Amino acid sequence: MRPAVLCAPLRIERAALRAAGLPVVRTGLGPRRAAATAAGLPEGPRVVAGIGGGLAAHVRPGDVVVADEVRGPDGVVEVPTAALLAGALRRLGLTVHLGPVLGVDHVVGERERDALAASGALAVDMESHRLAAAGQPFAVIRSIVDTVGAPLVRPSTVSHGLAGLRSLRAAVPALTAWAAATGPRQLLMASPRSFCAGVERAIDIVDRALAKHGAPVYVRRQIVHNTHVVRKLQERGAVFVDEVGEVPEGATLVFAAHGVTPGVRRDAADRGLSVIDATCPLVTKVHNEVRRYSGRGDTVFLIGHAEHEEVEGTVGEAPRSVVVVEDVAAARTVTAPAAQGFAYTMQTTLALDEAEEIASVLRSRFPGLSAPRKDDICYATTNRQQALRAIAREVDLVLVVGSANSSNSRRLVEVAEREGTPAVLVDGVSDIDLRRLAGAGRIGLTAGASAPPHLVDEVVAGLGGLGPVTVAENRLTEEEITFTLPREVL
């Protein structure tokens, strides 16, 4: 693939972009000159960068608009790399807006701006629609100078123009990284990935509770550990709280998938709350094990991370009998009070190999240590780790889609790294650091059990916008497990 080219309409814009170290072509002002320039450009990655006019009221001078589509008289050109570039620009400290850029054939006046704003476009220019390169790596950024209420010709023109040029110069590292990330690559998809049955059940419970009772429905903590899921449910009327005391008496409260302590259940009952329990059945299984072991007088070693909500809920079943063991070093030194016996359980979202190493140390130190009848680490966690392990050594980089507070997603990063492959956790396509993609010709892609599938699709589309992508699906096993819903939402 040819090197990327930066297209700047004006000489002053071209000067602002020279630090990128890429070819910068001055296209000239207006659609006619831009079309003539486009006809002479070779095929290959192309970025249109320059100043522009804002249409939306929230877009201010010095802000940067990244086009997710370019609209012109000849149609619409989608820009699949827009979220990738927008994320890179935000990490540079710029104020960035992602949305449509509208192409026109003349300088827009203040009266016309109001009419054009109704189109939903964020910015307007005269060149991008003529330079748009469908089917090739393509991007558009416009550093805003004139805006709603601040037209091009007025006393503030100079200061706003300087603000726009400063932002354009500040954007150079992101444009350089975008250009370096372009090129053909192979994408290996680990499967299974994304939502598991327990996560789907928990989200469905909140959806049904909202449909049945209306907003607001309160949820203690995040229903699952994913920012996108939480935001979507908030938009529908779910209210997320940290503790039961924040919920009005008599309201509807959903317990999150990670489970709660008996004390939390008592608090909810004392406030007269209508409780719907979305605890994952596999977490409930661990709670039952702790009650069974502690009930017969055993000390229970809980292999897991003490700060995780699931572990907090599990410890709460028998706080005087449970000892949390976080790693191998702790397993080698942990002590326990005298007891009739010893047993262990596991947090459901751990890395299987690491958890088994900890359990092995405990078994060697505590003869007769009782173990769960069936592994505590859930089927979905195990399947996703094994599916990733099957491809990790075949790729240059692994992308794991999931939120930073998702234990099972973080464990996937660790699994890849133990296989010797660099891995990064991304909440979505805009979190991908373009610099990590340079030279990564083969990329592995998976997602934690709490990450929505559409986020994976967006990553695939974003990578595809950087150049030709060959996608291969590596399906390790099929998941056909479903869990019943609580009667309160049926």
Side-chain angles (χ1 to χ4, degrees), residues 75-243:
V76 176
V77 176
E78 302 289 339
V79 187
T81 66
L84 282 164
L85 183 54
L89 291 165
R90 289 190 182 108
R91 286 188 288 275
L92 292 173
L94 293 165
T95 300
V96 180
H97 307 280
L98 184 64
V101 168
L102 183 64
V104 296
D105 60 2
H106 59 279
V107 176
V108 173
E110 189 67 9
R111 291 182 180 179
E112 188 181 4
R113 192 189 305 271
D114 291 337
L116 295 178
S119 69
L122 299 184
V124 61
D125 70 20
M126 295 188 291
E127 297 84 24
S128 295
H129 65 291
R130 295 303 181 193
L131 292 162
Q136 301 176 54
F138 176 62
V140 174
I141 72 163
R142 287 293 181 179
S143 186
I144 301 303
V145 173
D146 53 306
T147 64
V148 175
L152 191 60
V153 181
R154 60 177 293 162
S156 60
T157 297
V158 173
S159 62
H160 289 177
L162 291 175
L165 290 172
R166 281 196 299 268
S167 293
L168 195 60
R169 284 194 295 270
V172 163
L175 300 178
T176 304
W178 182 93
T182 59
R185 53 177 45 93
Q186 293 178 296
L187 188 58
L188 274 65
M189 311 281 288
S191 182
R193 61 180 177 271
S194 295
F195 281 171
C196 66
V199 166
E200 289 181 334
R201 175 180 180 270
I203 296 170
D204 194 17
I205 286 171
V206 179
D207 277 330
R208 286 170 176 257
L210 286 165
K212 186 173 183 178
H213 301 288
V217 166
Y218 293 85
V219 185
R220 184 183 180 273
R221 310 287 174 87
Q222 291 189 354
I223 184 66
V224 298
H225 285 160
N226 187 269
T227 57
H228 299 269
V229 170
V230 170
R231 188 181 307 118
K232 182 179 179 181
L233 292 173
Q234 284 175 324
E235 291 169 355
R236 290 202 55 206
V239 178
F240 293 86
V241 298
D242 288 329
E243 299 301 341

Side-chain angles (χ1 to χ4, degrees), residues 462-488:
L463 295 176
L466 293 170
V469 169
T470 301
V471 180
E473 183 94 9
N474 188 48
R475 182 168 294 277
L476 188 70
T477 186
E478 298 289 340
E479 292 182 347
E480 299 177 349
I481 293 176
T482 58
F483 295 129
T484 59
L485 294 167
R487 58 179 175 79
E488 291 87 354

Side-chain angles (χ1 to χ4, degrees), residues 365-387:
R365 293 192 58 216
F366 299 92
L369 183 71
S370 296
R373 295 192 184 98
K374 194 172 183 181
D375 286 342
D376 286 334
I377 295 178
C378 82
Y379 76 95
T381 299
T382 300
N383 287 347
R384 280 149 189 73
Q385 291 175 10
Q386 291 178 343

Side-chain angles (χ1 to χ4, degrees), residues 260-347:
V260 298
T261 67
V264 171
R265 296 182 186 277
R266 289 192 296 270
D267 290 344
D270 291 343
R271 294 186 65 80
L273 303 180
S274 177
V275 171
I276 305 171
D277 192 355
T279 302
C280 175
L282 299 179
V283 174
T284 299
K285 167 185 170 291
V286 178
H287 284 215
N288 293 339
E289 289 168 352
V290 168
R291 288 198 297 270
R292 177 166 61 89
Y293 290 140
S294 62
R296 71 187 190 190
D298 288 359
T299 289
V300 184
F301 298 112
L302 173 56
I303 300 172
H305 302 288
E307 78 286 354
H308 194 275
E309 288 174 36
E310 180 187 326
V311 172
E312 292 176 1
T314 305
V315 170
E317 294 289 349
R320 295 182 179 179
S321 301
V322 177
V323 178
V324 178
V325 183
E326 295 200 283
D327 52 33
V328 170
R332 289 175 178 150
T333 60
V334 67
T335 59
Q340 294 184 19
F342 300 95
Y344 75 86
T345 60
M346 295 179 180
Q347 179 183 333

Side-chain angles (χ1 to χ4, degrees), residues 341-363:
F342 300 95
Y344 75 86
T345 60
M346 295 179 180
Q347 179 183 333
T348 62
T349 55
L350 297 179
L352 183 60
D353 51 355
E354 185 178 12
E356 177 52 37
E357 186 179 1
I358 296 170
S360 177
V361 173
L362 292 175
R363 285 192 294 267

